[in-house]
Amino acid sequence: ATVGDERSAVDNYRMIQEFFGRFPERKGNDFYIASESYGGHYIPHLAKTILNNNTDNAINFRGWLVGNPYVDPFSNDVTMMQTCYMHGLIAMPLYSLWEQSCLDRNNYDNDKCNQLMDKMMGVATEGINLYAVDYPECLEPDSNNNIPQSQKEEDSDEGEQRQAQEGAATNTVASTSTSTFVGKNGAVATTSKNSCQQKKRRMSSSQSKQLLNVTSITSPPFLPKEDMYHPCAETHFTIYLNRDDVKEALHVVDTGRYWSVCANNIDYSQEDSDK
């Protein structure tokens, strides 16, 4: 079944209620919610759900925060490409072709821009964490390599089959997909997204395979001294959550599936992501 922003808000609200039911001593604390990326959708919807239902003030809700939020597919894709180019991840000839056809919302060349974006993302994400281009890279083996091959094939097949069947009506989260926006002249255009594949591909470079288990990586100079950036945290976290003892402690029903950051078998409303 297709899920969307409304379902996510309801599920998260129920989780908050269950949390305070389990830990009533926390009810008096100020409660804030925050997120980034698609949290630009999750958090406002959740805040509205809390305000609409928290009539008895059981939740001491004080506010919400979003950082670098995804709110508009056009501006998101444009600024992402500009960021990659300014960091030297995309060559000027390729970037110039994209710049000529893809910066005007009202005259967006749909097919050409999607093809150019696919080329640029293929170059920019090779061995690079696009979500932390100013930070050190994790040079340990990708946690995706630990996923059973049968699971990879199952996720891939399910995602591709579902996309072929449902077309533009829905969007498989974090797999290759499209976002739709409407220009001022009413023209509808789509932009390409493949964040999950980017995430999985970024650890596949020859450099990352040769320079394994590096422990001398330091945090970037602009990070406060009291904070320590761990470039391999996502890899370690994924391995940790798939340990049998951790799944047992979390009361996870054993379905034989391997947990990963991206899931190709979840259909999320395309209409919601484009609002």
Side-chain angles (χ1 to χ4, degrees), residues 68-108:
N68 192 26
Y70 175 96
V71 292
D72 170 57
F74 178 79
S75 60
N76 179 80
D77 289 343
V78 167
T79 54
M80 180 170 60
M81 292 299 96
Q82 292 172 333
T83 299
C84 289
Y85 175 70
M86 294 302 176
H87 281 79
L89 302 178
I90 301 172
M92 179 180 285
L94 182 58
Y95 178 80
S96 296
L97 289 174
W98 171 82
E99 194 174 37
Q100 292 169 10
S101 304
C102 309
L103 291 184
D104 186 348
R105 187 188 294 262
N106 294 320
N107 296 290
Y108 192 87

Side-chain angles (χ1 to χ4, degrees), residues 240-270:
Y240 176 76
L241 286 181
N242 281 285
R243 281 173 29 181
D244 290 338
D245 59 328
V246 174
K247 289 190 288 186
E248 182 179 358
L250 294 174
H251 306 287
V252 174
V253 177
D254 188 5
T255 62
R257 299 184 64 85
Y258 187 94
W259 184 89
S260 62
V261 174
C262 299
N264 289 334
N265 60 342
I266 298 176
D267 291 322
Y268 206 90
S269 169
Q270 179 70 53

Side-chain angles (χ1 to χ4, degrees), residues 22-92:
R22 180 76 178 272
F23 304 100
E25 68 276 13
R26 304 286 186 182
K27 285 187 175 182
N29 294 353
D30 290 344
F31 185 74
Y32 296 86
I33 56 177
S35 186
E36 53 84 44
S37 190
Y38 201 79
H41 281 235
Y42 290 139
I43 295 303
H45 277 80
L46 177 56
K48 185 175 183 296
T49 300
I50 294 174
L51 292 173
N52 288 344
N53 294 278
N54 191 38
T55 55
D56 57 355
N57 293 318
I59 301 173
N60 189 21
F61 186 47
R62 306 298 294 171
W64 57 276
L65 170 73
V66 291
N68 192 26
Y70 175 96
V71 292
D72 170 57
F74 178 79
S75 60
N76 179 80
D77 289 343
V78 167
T79 54
M80 180 170 60
M81 292 299 96
Q82 292 172 333
T83 299
C84 289
Y85 175 70
M86 294 302 176
H87 281 79
L89 302 178
I90 301 172
M92 179 180 285

Side-chain angles (χ1 to χ4, degrees), residues 98-191:
W98 171 82
E99 194 174 37
Q100 292 169 10
S101 304
C102 309
L103 291 184
D104 186 348
R105 187 188 294 262
N106 294 320
N107 296 290
Y108 192 87
D109 189 328
N110 193 48
D111 293 336
K112 184 175 182 179
C113 291
N114 282 340
Q115 290 177 6
L116 289 171
M117 279 192 65
D118 286 343
K119 289 182 180 179
M120 288 191 293
M121 294 307 294
V123 174
T125 59
E126 183 64 29
I128 296 294
N129 181 355
L130 193 59
Y131 298 91
V133 293
D134 292 313
Y135 289 74
E137 280 297 310
C138 177
L139 300 177
E140 296 181 12
D142 185 7
S143 61
N144 185 53
N145 293 334
N146 297 315
I147 301 177
Q149 184 61 34
S150 58
Q151 181 68 58
K152 294 181 186 178
E153 294 172 352
E154 179 182 348
D155 287 346
S156 177
D157 291 343
E158 286 180 358
E160 292 175 1
Q161 290 173 5
R162 187 171 290 105
Q163 282 183 304
Q165 293 169 356
E166 300 180 1
T170 57
N171 159 28
T172 301
V173 167
S175 66
T176 302
S177 56
T178 59
S179 286
T180 306
F181 63 89
V182 180
K184 292 181 180 178
N185 60 3
V188 177
T190 60
T191 60

